[in-house]
Amino acid sequence: MDTIHLGAAPGTTWTLSPHDAEDHLRARFPGLQTWNERAPASGKEYVTFQVDLDGESRRGSYFERGHLILDDGDADLWAETAAWFLALLPPDARTVAMIDSNPDSVRTVPPGADTTQVREILQSLFGIE
């Protein structure tokens, strides 16, 4: 288990607001719990959410302008959610991915990546071929 980071590629931002992200997450995950917060250092607004996946409670956060964090999971657990979320972005949105345990390894996620592509990219970060 690890924390997955999906972010706007350097030099780009995502236009999805935390409020809009929260609305989309609520539509996808009935029973979702959310908290709206502001990062003390940057002042950026973000939404933290908690959802049941595979019978366990999982958390994530979305920060304005382009950073999705998916906690305590792996490629198989989060790939579908990550691909769904990225599909909410404009078709030309540039994205990079990394995991906490291997921050020096960053992968590019192509615009329009489907669940299979996202899973393969995440698996490569986890060292799974």
Side-chain angles (χ1 to χ4, degrees):
M1 299 292 177
D2 210 330
T3 297
I4 297 169
H5 297 262
L6 297 168
T12 64
T13 58
W14 294 343
T15 58
L16 187 65
S17 73
H19 176 74
D20 289 341
E22 180 181 0
D23 288 346
H24 289 294
L25 286 161
R26 283 189 185 286
R28 179 170 173 86
F29 298 112
L32 180 82
Q33 294 180 328
T34 62
W35 299 267
N36 293 292
E37 304 183 52
R38 184 175 296 276
S42 68
K44 286 186 178 181
E45 291 183 20
Y46 67 100
V47 60
T48 297
F49 58 92
Q50 185 171 320
V51 63
D52 287 334
L53 293 176
D54 288 350
E56 292 192 37
S57 181
R58 307 293 181 165
R59 291 180 70 107
S61 299
Y62 175 70
F63 289 76
E64 71 177 312
R65 315 210 25 98
H67 192 171
L68 176 67
I69 301 170
L70 303 169
D71 292 325
D72 299 323
D74 59 20
D76 289 331
L77 179 73
W78 284 117
E80 185 177 334
T81 299
W84 164 82
F85 185 88
L86 294 175
L88 299 173
L89 303 174
D92 60 346
R94 295 178 37 228
T95 303
V96 293
M98 64 160 277
I99 58 175
D100 272 358
S101 64
N102 190 8
D104 294 329
S105 184
V106 177
R107 301 284 191 274
T108 299
V109 180
D114 64 17
T115 299
T116 300
Q117 291 169 304
V118 170
R119 181 177 288 110
E120 289 171 357
I121 291 164
L122 296 177
Q123 286 174 336
S124 73
L125 292 168
F126 281 89
I128 301 168
E129 297 296 324

